[in-house]
Amino acid sequence: MQSKSCPEDSFGDGRAFGGSTTELEYGKFGAMMRRALLGLFATAVVAVACQVPVFRFALERWPADHFALVVTSEGKLTGAIGEALDVLEEELKGDSQAINLKVQRVNLETLTEAELVSLPALEHAGEGPTLILMPPASWKSKTPVWTGDATVENLSSLLDSPLRQRCGAHLLKGASAVWILVESGDPTKDAAARAVMEAGVKEAEATLEIPEGVIRREDFNKEFENIDPDNILRSGIPLKIDFATEVVSADDPAESLFLSMLMRSGNRIPGEPLLVPLFGRGRTFGGLTASQMTPERIVAASEYLCGACSCQVKEGNPGYDLLFRRNWDRLLEVEEITADSAIIQRNLDRVLFGAEEPKKADLGEEERDHKPLLIGLVVFNLVAFGALSYLRRRHRMRESS
């Protein structure tokens, strides 16, 4: 959950207005209102926040955004690449979640005007059969992630790679995140970057903790005073603060396509190492260049990942998805928590249902209905800003007189 702070000239200490009595009065009142509003807002955020860490919430509940693979050719594509594409399309037909990818073949000989307008990728088509990987809509970009000849080798590298396999294995074993160091080729710089990465990861593992209130699978038979369904884990993999690390060369041919996605933020400086965190279902929020790289920044990024997921909407959180050949729901054995789930049925008198569902027991003063708090917050905002507006008008009237 994010909020925008008010500019200082709205909630200042009065000095911006010259320091007169009225202005100081306005400033003091404004400062008081700011502290009160921030306190109330913080209380509201805490009251409604889910306690599941961001990295685990992303792994279990955020489906990966789909890429689009546009395959262009003059006439029907045949041969080995045609057969490989047939196999891929058949796989996706049987399991649409096998990889976060949609395939579209375009025959340039029979191209319609509508297709030409609707497919910006076509301007990147080569003279021969071409693979054009377009990013998900969430990237907000119409620039291809990668373009190359339509060959079996390129298709294979596009769909998977050794580094992605290792990262996927780490995440499915419960790693909070995988920190990937993209080496520059300069031994001195790369060794220094690796030392910073290892120091930051070690500090994060030693200091960060899982938020209280998360309900693990192994806790299902325990007694709870209250159960918020949002706090129940959807899979049985271990929940822990644990960071994996991987090192890859920027020139590794087996990872060239994956690295083009991993480093799409454009903040990599040629000849400099880059450190990128990977979490959830193959999601990242960009990398740190060597000049930005400190253990403290690694800990800060890790703290966000291990903190309670206060904003459960994927689009409300930083980051972008990468292409992974994984059916995450199947591999995680994700269980949706509903009113019919075993843990809910065993503890109906303790479950804190949302506002749209009736509660099964009267919780009295401990009832967690957040509507009054949020309504109160809105009313308080209106009163506060009304008072501030009144003081400002009174000051202007005195100046005009």
Side-chain angles (χ1 to χ4, degrees), residues 99 155-162 164-165 254 324-326:
I99 179 171
L155 180 63
S156 177
S157 297
L158 182 151
L159 298 177
D160 208 353
S161 66
R164 275 180 281 183
Q165 291 175 9
F324 267 77
R325 190 167 197 158
R326 297 283 186 282

Side-chain angles (χ1 to χ4, degrees), residues 35 52 68 383:
R35 288 192 294 270
V52 176
V383 173

